Every structure is written in C-alpha cells, then in structure tokens.
Amino acid sequence: MEGLKLAAAKLVVYLHPSKAKNVADAIHGEISSLLFKFNETFDGVLLAYDTDFPSNLAKILPGVHPYFGVRLETKLLLFHPKPDMVLEGEVVRLSEQSIHVVILGFSAAAIMAEDIREEFKFKAKPGKEVFRSTIHKKHRIKIGTIIRFVVKSFDEEILHVSGSLLPAHTGCVKWLERHLEEWSQSDR
C-alpha cells in the first residue's frame, strides 16, 4: 500500500532530571506521545518506532531548568498519503451518497457519490447495503469489504482522507486481484 514509508532518524530527546533514573522508559514515553499524530518534522503520522540507544552519553542543557538531551537513532514507520496515491481500507458504512472506510485501523476515509464510478449502483435491503457493478455482477462493495481507492486529499489535522473510486484499478481488492490477469492479457 502506498502512503507508508520507513525512515531512519537521529533524534535528541530532552528529559527532565526527575526522569534520570530510568532514561529508556522516559525516552519511550516521549516518543510514544507522538504516535498517531501528524508531525511536520517527520512529514507524516508516526505509526511505530524502533529505538537504538547507541550510548549512555547525555548533555545537560544550561538554563533555568537543567534538562538533559539524549542522542539516539530510531527507525520510524510513517503514514502520509498524498493525492493520487492508492490506499486500501475496510468499508465500515455505506449509503447512497457515500462509502466510509477505515485505513490501518485509525484513519477515516470518505468516498462521496460524485467520486464513485457510474458502473456502481447502490442497492439496499434491510441491513444489507451494497454497491454492485452493472458491468461485472460479482464486483461488489459492502460493509467489511477491503477496497482499493485513490487519494484525493488528506486532512493532516484530523487524519481524514477524501478518496475516489473513479479509476478502473479501484474497487473491491479481492475482485481486482482475481481479474488482474484478465486485464494484463487484454492489454497485450
């Protein structure tokens, strides 16, 4: 899936002297406070990290509060979707006007009616809403389906994606993967 990237970072974490007894826990606490929030420095949402403590050296900072800085190296897993990237997510709600998706279990996405291909028609029975393709009868999108869609925009403040199902390579992932061979043969 696009939108995920690994990054290596050299950081300096500033800690209060009261945290000097257990520096490792204090560092993990500081970095953990950045999880699932967009960070401009990292240019993405921090999803996971793996920290190496190369040394026990710390530098005390002069000033009113005697904080100390610990240098460390860390590997970061970041999420930052950009327009035209392809993402996948699980459908959690359907209506005639929209499809609502959860990406990686924490970010929400909405695909509005004007961004859904015309071949998909909404059908509703009590408790069973579905978008069904009029061209390929087995291509369906319902609650619980994993879909592939294209990013239109990403709101960094609330971690919300606006998506589109207009391109032909979008829709139900299971159906797309089954019919990928047919498309590649017809393109030849």
Side-chain angles (χ1 to χ4, degrees):
M1 179 170 73
E2 295 179 27
L4 291 175
K5 65 180 176 180
L6 286 172
K10 293 182 179 183
L11 304 174
V12 177
V13 178
Y14 299 103
L15 302 173
H16 190 272
S18 66
K19 311 256 176 157
K21 283 186 178 180
N22 198 341
V23 174
D25 283 348
I27 289 172
H28 286 297
E30 289 294 318
I31 297 175
S32 293
S33 70
L34 302 174
L35 288 170
F36 300 107
K37 297 176 189 165
F38 186 84
N39 188 306
E40 287 183 17
T41 304
F42 300 146
D43 190 32
V45 178
L46 181 61
L47 299 180
Y49 64 93
D50 182 23
T51 305
D52 294 329
F53 299 103
S55 70
N56 291 332
L57 296 177
K59 184 177 182 180
I60 297 176
L61 304 172
V64 179
H65 299 286
Y67 280 78
F68 62 96
V70 179
R71 293 183 187 276
L72 56 103
E73 295 179 9
T74 184
K75 295 175 192 159
L76 308 172
L77 177 62
L78 301 169
F79 174 68
H80 192 193
K82 298 189 185 321
D84 298 325
M85 281 186 173
V86 176
L87 296 181
E88 294 178 2
E90 182 179 356
V91 175
V92 292
R93 186 168 163 245
L94 291 173
S95 72
E96 194 169 353
Q97 299 300 317
S98 62
I99 298 173
H100 297 271
V101 180
V102 173
I103 307 162
L104 299 173
F106 77 94
S107 185
I111 302 166
M112 305 313 288
E114 62 269 10
D115 296 315
I116 300 172
R117 283 195 307 277
E118 287 185 21
E119 78 175 79
F120 286 107
K121 298 297 179 199
F122 182 75
K123 305 244 187 224
K125 293 180 182 175
K128 293 186 179 183
E129 298 87 9
V130 66
F131 273 96
R132 178 179 280 162
S133 171
T134 55
I135 298 170
H136 307 282
K137 297 292 184 192
K138 300 223 177 207
H139 192 178
R140 298 180 192 139
I141 298 172
K142 56 186 178 180
I143 293 176
T145 302
I146 304 297
I147 64 168
R148 186 173 295 150
F149 61 96
V150 174
V151 175
K152 284 180 55 181
S153 65
F154 178 57
D155 186 335
E156 298 163 349
E157 199 169 300
I158 58 171
L159 306 180
H160 188 271
V161 175
S162 176
S164 171
L165 285 174
L166 292 176
H169 64 282
T170 60
C172 175
V173 171
K174 283 184 180 179
W175 189 88
L176 290 169
E177 288 177 354
R178 279 191 212 129
H179 295 85
L180 184 62
E181 285 182 24
E182 293 173 18
W183 289 345
S184 62
Q185 290 173 358
S186 65
D187 287 344
R188 290 182 196 157

